[in-house]
Amino acid sequence: MGFKLTDYEAYDFANRRHIGPTTREMADMLKVIGFKKLDELIDDTVPEAIRQKTPLDWGPAMTERDALYHMKEVAKKNKVLTSLIGQGYYGTTTPPVILRNILENPAWYTAYTPYQPEISQGRLEALLNFQTMVSDLTGLDIANASLLDESTAAAEAMTMAKRSAKSKSDIFFVDENCHPQNIAVIQTRAEPLGIEVIVGAPDDLVAEDVFGAIFQYPGTYGHVRDFTDLIENLHDAKALAVVAADPLALALLKSPGEMGADIAIGSTQRFGVPLGYGGPHAAYMATRDAFKRSMPGRIIGVSIDSHGNKAYRLALQTREQHIRREKANSNVCTAQALLAVIASMYAVYHGPDGIKAIAQSVHRKTARLAKGLESLGYKVEPEVFFDTITVNVGPLQGVVMNAAVTGGINLRKIDDDRVGISLDEQTRPETIEAVWRAFGGDMEDDSEKNREYRLPEANLRDSEFLTHPIFHLNRAEAEITRYMRRLADRDLALDRAMIPLGSCTMKLNATIEMIPVTWPEFSNLHPFVPADQAEGYTQMIDDLNDKLCQITGYDAISQQPNSGAQGEYAGLLTIRGYHASRGEGHRNICLIPTSAHGTNPASAQMVGWKVVPVRADENGNIDVADFREKAETHSENLAACMITYPSTHGVFEETVNEVCEVTHKHGGQVYIDGANMNAMVGLSRPGDIGGDVSHLNLHKTFCIPHGGGGPGMGPIGVKAHLAPYLPGHPERAHVMGPVSSAPFGSPSILPVSWAYCLLMGGAGLTQATKVAILNANYIAARLKGAFDTLYTSDHGRVAHECILDTRPVAESAGVTVDDIAKRLIDNGFHAPTMSWPVAGTLMVEPTESEPKAEIDRFCEAMLSIRAEAKDIADGKIDAENNPLKNAPHTVADLVGDWDRPYTRKEACYPPGAFAVDKYWPPVNRVDNAYGDRNLVCTCPPMSDYVDE
Ligand SMILES: *Cc1c(COP(=O)(O)O)cnc(C)c1O
């Protein structure tokens, strides 16, 4: 391998952990493809016209030790005070057993979204627990398994109310007691859709004027109010009511459902998920049964497998943006699965009594704090509250706030006179005393004597919650540890096998990248602390952004979007803002190739644009003639095109420059979906080939592990002319509205991507891209003849993924992609991406992190499946009763009667399956249709578990 000396050093010392194949293996793989050198393959694959001119360079790659040292030095510039700022973010204790067994456990954090239910039963159960917890606490029938944050959940609730309400109004009412970031995100979301937002006091709400209203419970300044009458008025006017509720408060307070609410949303952050300077945290949404089909996000449901046994799976998948495109309920794709799992485990760990005890303790501490302040002569508002109080200190505000900081405490500055204080699970007597001192009082906290409650009588909760037995495990550590282990063992994540999902870039990240995430300097910062307490974050984000600019060829980055799809939405808003600033706000046509990811049209719809689809030619490339024609037709109103590069067909299209030129000529802007950046980093830059804006999926290309369906980060890069229109935030100076709750989205996972860049260096990242391309081309070459690659470049090359044409075996043997996907489970693999972007095919993306042996194991599995299909086609085995149709096989299959025309060994140990470390799926093939007909989205009764 002709490495230059510098390359060799970078490879050997810094990124050998990240890049799967060894130098020798690479040479062997290249031979199979027909090349001698890696660079020859790359030159043959990546068109000259789009090649990057200067190599990435930010100094040498760091060793693991140096990177950790450097990151710690930067982290230490964050000052970790006790934040009592509240406003939707609260101190919380992650139970160590959950920290270690979930958050720090690759079996949980490297899993994919549970689309393949048979290998996802563990996380599906945890997410079903989450839904049950949310349903119980909110008093509503059905909950989803997580949205991106509370503010976007509030905005989703607004658009859901618009879809579902019978009222014809275009006005949405927002309680002025909502958290400011919720109000701001709702406003951002409403404007392009033509929804008018009225922010006001609940008593001023005129129900007849609106299609819906949202109330915060408790309010951002601490008020707890019963909304029953207001909700009744809304219902009389055919409008819907949304309540944004704090789940901890709901342990003591009457639920939104009991007040008549139609939708409840909120954040589950304080259920054990660290503050993280704003995220990631799981938001929730719950609703009545009547509205379940218009609910955004993913819903876990209960169904049965082919033997009639209970099995979980994602319900109502046909509602998703993948399928419904611009008619989807929302563009939410990656959500916050890992954080939802943590929150659900917090509920399993504490149980209803524990949660109630925490809520009561938080409340009593707040009551004590209030009483002390009153004894000092301050007027505390409101009179009754849960955990938040407001004190009008007038001209003393600066003095009080500063004294608090000196005492190690952040209070909330509400306006020029008032300060807000929110207590939490972690508040100690010393904290309360320090607050009193900041207000000029020198008292001792007499906790024991003071067990006063100041909750509103009328709102006290008397309904039960978390009644399901899963929330009543024996509280011994042995039981919870084993429960989490059992669930993890049911699943197939990257810690067991390659997950070759095309377009998803399931690379295994280096463990070291996860270490800084849980450092208190990163995890214990409230998102709204003063800037001088977050200098470490600022330095990290600035440095990461610099590198991302260098990688993409853009001039500015916004780290606000919490997923790729959110990045799309934010990017299109940015374009929209730009057009408007030039008096061209009428531009509303978006050209999108038919092969686009479903989030593209769904996002375009969210900014009020009309999607005009562009055809692909027979080679899968954008039909440039069609593109030209449509751009011309819509020249007056062309807002943008959204293209993916390399294309979702896995090819570097030679015509990309032309497509960008045509778009610009007609006054449009070019959005390049950056989900496929893993094929470009170091070789080609979207900013150079004509893109004006792109999102990056840091949870794909930049190593943030997928978490079983989130968290993610979808920062956008833009050219300078768009920079002024990037998302702003009410907590910062801003022109444009925010798209997320927190100014930097989910900053506590940024250390992962930052560490990746530091450890790899520019040369290492470039090498990763080359090896990703090598691995994909190797698979395409090895499977040629058995499963041909559908689309290639003129040279016969693919980019970092390949679409395997499995339709011939469907025709000859009746073997569907589903059958292949399920049989791969027997072989010990997660299936590739199914039927996207081409129906009846499999899209395979190995990533650079897979060693040759694992890729070979996969190829052998695919070849054996091809042979099995041939046996069916040749009539050697029954067309219905065969290993493919019966897959996956469970242990239960083996111990029963065996009347199949193939052996038990053939069933369970096909090529690829490990003899000793065989992965055994816990259920047989799951029946999706049954589950959708009999929708159950909370934990089934214990009687159903008897078999287990
Ligand atoms: C993954 C992906 C997206 C969406 O990203 P999320 O983070 O899941 O929202 C968009 N486009 C393409 C091509 C993708 O592969």
Side-chain angles (χ1 to χ4, degrees), residues 877-907:
I877 191 163
D878 188 77
E880 286 312 313
N881 191 4
N882 61 55
L884 282 160
K885 291 287 171 195
N886 292 332
H889 296 84
T890 60
V891 171
D893 281 328
L894 294 189
V895 296
D897 290 335
W898 190 261
D899 55 358
R900 302 185 184 177
Y902 53 96
T903 66
R904 287 176 163 94
K905 190 164 177 224
E906 283 164 341

Side-chain angles (χ1 to χ4, degrees), residues 298 331-335 502-504 562-566 568 596-600 644 648 673-676 695 697 699-700 706 712-714 836:
R298 297 194 168 122
N331 71 344
V332 174
C333 184
T334 292
S503 210
C504 302
N562 275 315
S563 71
Q566 285 300 104
E568 293 169 21
H597 196 265
T599 52
N600 289 186
T644 305
T648 52
D673 183 324
N676 289 346
H695 73 262
N697 297 62
H699 49 298
K700 294 178 179 171
H706 202 72
M713 271 293 275
W836 188 83

Side-chain angles (χ1 to χ4, degrees), residues 18 41 59 91 266 283 338 357 438 457 531 535 558 655 707 737 751 810 818 859 865 880 885 888 897 900 935:
H18 181 75
L41 168 70
L338 188 68
E457 285 291 330
E535 283 170 9
S558 166
T655 51
D818 243 12
C859 290
I865 286 173
E880 286 312 313
K885 291 287 171 195
D897 290 335
R900 302 185 184 177
L935 198 61

Side-chain angles (χ1 to χ4, degrees), residues 116 118-119 821-829 888 918-919 921:
Q116 295 288 334
E118 297 83 2
I119 52 100
K822 303 312 174 192
R823 184 62 171 148
L824 276 170
I825 297 172
D826 290 333
N827 301 92
F829 283 102
K918 155 89 182 159
Y919 168 73

